[in-house]
Amino acid sequence: MFLAWKEIRHAKAKFGLIISVVVLVSYLVYFLTSLAYGLASSYTNGVNKWKADEIVLTVDSNNNIMMSFMNNNDYDAINVNGGEKAKLGLFPAVIKDANVDHNKDTRKEIYVFGIEDDSFIAPKEIPSSGLLDTMIIADSSLKDLGYAVGDEILVSGTSLTWTIVGFTNKATYQTAPILYANLNTWKQLRYSSVPFDVFSAVVIKGSAVSSSDSLQVYTISQFISNLPGYNAQVATFSIMIGFLIVIVAFVLGIFIYVLTIQKTSMFGVMKAQGISNRFIGNSVVSQTIIITGIGVLIGLALTLITGYFLCGFVPFAINPLFYVGITLAFFLFSILGGLFSVGAVLKIDPLRAIG
């Protein structure tokens, strides 16, 4: 370790360039991973907030929750083992500020979740009096459009006006913000009236058993995988980032190998002086770890800083497990490159290397 660090300090320019390459490639991988994870999370944040295990839709809906129409008889036909069940209505809409005419900056595509106040899927920000008709809880991303508690919003194409009574974090569905409303408010949007009993799905915490052939039980992971475009998006980014990690890791290994081979004469002199192969090998591996460690840490820091400033502009999300996996891949391939070069160093003939 001493020899490795001393050499880095002696040749600052050369090692500075190598570390810069490591910084840039690690920054690229970390950043793209965070963007991909953020985009995937924006599809499912609202679903994950339920902390549920299963969801029940009608068979005829063909896995599409907005084509699922259920009633209280369906609800009663669902038995839950060791858990709870909650009614859910879902429908998309476009909202705008009710007090500002022709202002495109306040228009936003959203999804309305119709819920019951006492259900386990209800956000904790619901007032103690409950969500009365025309009251909504909105995703906090609407604050970026200038919305605040007490503002009235108008649903485009209708005469419905709702009042924001609170905000909740990370409530998005298929990248769009969620508005939580009671089932009556949702019915007015969905059907322009308030039918006696109708909703889209039943969310289950626990294990559901349905006694009706017209209903289909899905796990939450199955439901998420059926969201339009979700699997294609995740597969595309996963393959892209996976290949990028492998390519970048091999490039780092090649850098380390070339760097080591360039010092053949120096290692020849060391061997001629009686310095053991183990000491030389440890020096190469230690230098590899130092270079990779400094570069990866700076790349990770730049990613976190960039994410802080881009928060709210792009779907950026941090997943520590992904970061750990990428970091281990960088170190693994770099060390393999160093070990491969150590093998070449151990075969050096001191006399030929010096002469």
Side-chain angles (χ1 to χ4, degrees), residues 9-307:
R9 292 180 60 186
H10 176 73
K12 296 183 180 66
K14 180 176 68 175
F15 285 99
L17 290 174
I18 297 173
I19 292 174
S20 298
V21 173
V22 178
V23 169
L24 292 175
V25 295
S26 62
Y27 174 56
L28 174 64
V29 175
Y30 285 131
F31 186 67
L32 287 180
T33 301
S34 297
L35 288 179
Y37 179 68
L39 186 58
S41 297
S42 66
Y43 257 69
T44 61
N45 279 333
V47 176
N48 292 330
K49 281 176 73 73
W50 298 338
K51 296 182 179 179
D53 300 300
E54 297 176 342
I55 187 169
V56 182
L57 307 177
T58 58
V59 172
D60 293 337
S61 68
N62 194 30
N63 307 331
N64 188 336
I65 189 172
M66 286 187 290
M67 294 295 103
S68 177
F69 306 97
M70 303 176 67
N71 54 38
N72 285 336
N73 291 332
D74 297 319
Y75 182 80
D76 294 335
I78 301 170
N79 298 314
V80 180
N81 295 327
E84 303 175 73
K85 57 183 178 179
K87 298 176 181 178
L88 172 70
L90 187 149
F91 200 66
V94 176
I95 62 169
K96 60 183 178 180
D97 193 326
N99 299 314
V100 179
D101 294 331
H102 308 297
N103 188 347
K104 294 182 179 180
D105 292 337
T106 65
R107 295 178 184 172
K108 187 69 176 178
E109 295 180 4
I110 55 91
Y111 279 92
V112 178
F113 277 16
I115 59 172
E116 294 177 314
D117 294 338
D118 58 349
S119 67
F120 71 91
I121 63 174
K124 62 182 180 180
E125 291 82 4
I126 289 182
S128 57
S129 58
L131 280 176
L132 305 179
D133 291 354
T134 74
M135 286 185 177
I136 58 167
I137 300 291
D139 176 53
S140 57
S141 64
L142 291 185
K143 292 180 181 179
D144 298 331
L145 298 179
Y147 288 105
V149 173
D151 285 356
E152 292 186 338
I153 61 174
L154 178 67
V155 182
S156 298
T158 73
S159 59
L160 297 176
T161 301
W162 300 335
T163 302
I164 299 175
V165 296
F167 289 97
T168 185
N169 295 323
K170 293 185 177 180
T172 54
Y173 180 79
Q174 294 191 44
T175 73
I178 294 172
L179 301 186
Y180 293 92
N182 65 31
L183 282 173
N184 283 341
T185 302
W186 171 79
K187 292 172 188 176
Q188 289 176 341
L189 169 67
R190 183 71 172 87
Y191 302 102
S192 300
S193 61
V194 185
F196 179 69
D197 63 334
V198 64
F199 45 91
S200 302
V202 176
V203 182
I204 305 296
K205 180 182 287 187
S207 177
V209 179
S210 173
S211 60
S212 174
D213 294 334
S214 64
L215 302 179
Q216 179 69 47
V217 180
Y218 301 90
T219 64
I220 292 298
S221 59
Q222 290 172 336
F223 174 72
I224 290 175
S225 67
N226 285 322
L227 293 177
Y230 179 79
N231 280 340
Q233 168 195 287
V234 171
T236 300
F237 276 103
S238 297
I239 293 173
M240 179 183 69
I241 293 173
F243 273 105
L244 182 61
I245 291 174
V246 172
I247 293 171
V248 167
F250 271 112
V251 169
L252 289 178
I254 292 171
F255 262 106
I256 298 300
Y257 177 75
V258 172
L259 178 66
T260 304
I261 295 302
Q262 286 180 339
K263 297 183 290 184
T264 300
S265 59
M266 182 186 74
F267 290 133
V269 172
M270 293 174 64
K271 294 184 72 172
Q273 293 176 335
I275 297 176
S276 66
N277 287 334
R278 182 177 180 180
F279 182 87
I280 295 174
N282 287 339
S283 174
V284 173
V285 173
S286 298
Q287 194 171 82
T288 301
I289 294 174
I290 292 173
I291 293 172
T292 305
I294 295 175
V296 165
L297 286 176
I298 296 175
L300 181 57
L302 289 175
T303 302
L304 297 177
I305 293 171
T306 305

